[in-house]
Structures are given as C-alpha cells and as structure tokens.
Amino acid sequence: MTEFTSVETAPDKSYSMIRGVTITGREFSIEARWGGLTSCPDFLEKWKATRRGAAEPYYIAGSLKAESPMVVRMSSCMHR
C-alpha cells in the first residue's frame, strides 16, 4: 500500500477497518483481525499520514480469511 486513508479500530482493538490506496493507485478496504496484536492499530494511526511510493510501499502481513476476501487475519505489524 502507498497510503492508509482511514483506520477505524474497535474499542477492544480486536479488529480495524483499513482503507487506503495500493501501489497501482486503486482504493482498497479490508477488515484486519488483530488476534492479540493490540499495538498494531496504534502503529497504523502513526503511519496513516505518511504517503509512500510504489518503490517503497507499506506491507500488511497476514492471511485472507475464507469467509471474505476483504478480511485478513494479521500476523504482524512493522513499518517496512
């Protein structure tokens, strides 16, 4: 992703709705299920205002859930 435009997190920090722009310029929206990674929503808020280029995008480490291609079970969070 090159940009996170919105990060809305549940009060218990169990999941976040993340919207942004991919490296190809397309908008995306996913539900990130954190599974105990309670620092990740705050991490995304920190980086939300920092736009990246296609040569150095943000990566989201997780796996798609079977019930929806728009739901990701997150496995980590880091800024590179």
Side-chain angles (χ1 to χ4, degrees):
M1 278 49 90
T2 57
E3 181 180 7
F4 298 116
T5 56
S6 136
V7 179
E8 300 167 20
T9 301
D12 66 359
K13 295 189 177 185
S14 63
Y15 71 93
S16 298
M17 289 302 300
I18 303 171
R19 292 175 181 82
V21 180
T22 68
I23 61 173
T24 62
R26 292 179 57 185
E27 293 184 0
F28 73 91
S29 175
I30 62 170
E31 177 182 312
R33 295 188 184 167
W34 298 113
L37 302 171
T38 56
S39 65
C40 291
D42 297 332
F43 168 86
L44 286 174
E45 281 294 333
K46 176 182 174 184
W47 293 99
K48 183 171 69 174
T50 308
R51 186 170 174 83
R52 307 285 297 247
E56 191 182 18
Y58 292 105
Y59 295 94
I60 293 181
S63 58
L64 294 175
K65 298 289 287 177
E67 69 263 22
S68 170
M70 302 307 286
V71 177
V72 177
R73 183 178 60 223
M74 304 306 294
S75 58
S76 67
C77 55
M78 56 186 161
H79 85 281
R80 294 195 193 275

